[in-house]
Amino acid sequence: MSSGVRIATNIVDQFNKMKLKSCYKYMVFRLNDEFDTIIIDKYGHPSETYDDFCKSLPTNDCRWGIFDWHVDLGERGQRNKLVFYYWAPEASKVKHKLTYSASKDALRKSLQGINVEMQCNDFEELDPQDVIDKISKAP
């Protein structure tokens, strides 16, 4: 299902800076006020943490995000993975959930190099161990 929402022209360029130059630890995206374009809501400085990323997500509205994970899996080695998040808390308006859900694939497909995807509806689902478990199974 397509929502007809556009992706802001700077998103792919900024994502590539994150991916290739580690300019950001994370990025958060949202729909603009007119609900017709996906825009960057927040950049996370390279020194910021996963906790900072989680705190940047609103309790009552949807967002998409990408976090740059660096995980040590012991004998299995270091894994560096970009994780895509679809954040849709229960308190979000139904229209927002529907539009964000319908627009997710277009955003996700425009960002080449994402290895893992998470869909979360509350802060408990952002548990870092759940993400690490998914990263450990990713190619």
Side-chain angles (χ1 to χ4, degrees):
M1 178 167 123
S2 175
S3 66
V5 170
R6 296 182 315 108
I7 298 170
T9 57
N10 68 329
I11 287 180
V12 173
D13 290 339
Q14 294 303 311
F15 170 74
N16 286 332
K17 284 183 183 179
M18 176 184 181
K19 178 174 71 171
L20 301 172
K21 298 180 182 178
S22 298
C23 292
Y24 316 113
K25 187 66 176 173
Y26 64 87
M27 296 172 69
V28 178
F29 310 96
R30 68 176 180 86
L31 289 169
N32 67 353
D33 294 338
E34 293 77 25
F35 252 61
D36 64 0
T37 305
I38 299 170
I39 61 173
I40 298 170
D41 188 41
K42 182 170 180 10
Y43 298 96
H45 187 273
S47 66
E48 290 191 62
T49 65
Y50 185 63
D51 192 46
D52 296 321
F53 169 72
C54 294
K55 289 177 182 174
S56 75
L57 300 172
T59 59
N60 61 351
D61 204 0
C62 301
R63 292 292 186 272
W64 303 280
I66 299 171
F67 191 87
D68 187 6
W69 279 88
H70 299 267
V71 179
D72 184 357
L73 298 174
E75 292 178 5
R76 294 179 26 214
Q78 178 83 16
R79 296 279 169 87
N80 300 330
K81 300 289 183 185
L82 295 170
V83 178
F84 181 88
Y85 292 82
Y86 168 47
W87 173 248
E90 294 297 326
S92 301
K93 294 179 181 177
V94 173
K95 176 187 175 185
H96 290 205
K97 288 181 188 179
L98 291 172
T99 306
Y100 273 79
S101 178
S103 305
K104 177 186 71 102
D105 285 340
L107 175 62
R108 169 76 174 75
K109 288 176 183 175
S110 73
L111 306 174
Q112 299 297 312
I114 293 173
N115 307 101
V116 176
E117 186 173 318
M118 302 288 293
Q119 180 171 331
C120 305
N121 302 99
D122 62 47
F123 288 101
E124 289 179 12
E125 293 178 348
L126 291 167
D127 184 316
Q129 190 57 54
D130 292 343
V131 182
I132 292 168
D133 290 346
K134 271 198 158 183
I135 289 171
S136 70
K137 296 173 186 169

